[in-house]
Amino acid sequence: MVFMLKPAKPQSTHSPRHAQAQRFSRLLRGASVLALSWLPFLGACTISLPFKYPEPVGTGSPEDRLLVSVTHAKLHPDKRAAFDEQTMVVFNAMAHHPGVVAYAIRRELFGNQVWTVSVWRDDASRMKFFMSEVHQRAIYMSEDAIETVRYKRVTIQRSELPLSWGRALALLAESEKPQKP
């Protein structure tokens, strides 16, 4: 009969507590790699505030021509807070401005891109709001946060309301290359 002896386990110079800490560290590294692998996908996740319609959708004639203004901005990550704050000030002011038919905002959850869309009865109403104190102050307070901006203005018929983000983004896709503000 032959007996085979197993080689002895090398004695660890580390305590069981150290081994446990090493296992936990490996687990955390693995979890971190897994979590970080999702970042590119999370950057593309967006959240939108619902479209607001100060004028009921059925107002006016279905053939009325309306002006749609769509904006897309890429923001400096360290300066985004001022932009977000001013965007909400403008967003809340639009509800009371004459000539605005609809408006909405959208942003990346974990990124630095934002979009706005507004629908106007005419360009004079849009320009009046653009030149308003609330909008001019918002531009002044947040323009350093903007790295690039694209915009598109088109006319649609009132019958094309309610507007969707899919339609607004398709309109924007037809615009020129990004510009520095």
Side-chain angles (χ1 to χ4, degrees), residues 112-127:
N112 295 304
Q113 298 186 70
V114 296
W115 297 262
T116 65
V117 64
S118 54
V119 182
W120 303 88
R121 277 191 233 141
D122 51 45
D123 196 45
S125 298
R126 183 192 65 81
M127 280 305 296

Side-chain angles (χ1 to χ4, degrees), residues 3 7 11 22 32 35 56 59 72 83 88 94 110 117 125 166 173 176:
F3 291 98
Q11 289 293 333
Q22 283 185 319
S32 296
T59 303
H72 169 236
F83 184 90
M88 289 312 299
M94 289 184 84
F110 301 101
V117 64
S125 298
E176 299 83 31

Side-chain angles (χ1 to χ4, degrees), residues 3 26 28 41-42 51 62 70 82 86 91 96 107 109 117 120-121 132 139 150 158 164 169 178:
F3 291 98
R26 281 192 300 271
L28 281 179
F41 301 106
L42 293 177
F51 274 83
V70 186
Q86 292 303 313
F91 189 75
H96 311 293
R107 70 180 210 118
L109 284 174
V117 64
W120 303 88
R121 277 191 233 141
S132 70
I139 291 171
R150 297 186 298 166
R158 189 178 289 270
S164 69
L169 295 175

Side-chain angles (χ1 to χ4, degrees), residues 58-75:
T59 303
S61 167
E63 292 81 31
D64 287 347
R65 303 298 292 170
L66 302 172
L67 179 68
V68 177
S69 180
V70 186
T71 304
H72 169 236
K74 291 185 181 176
L75 306 177

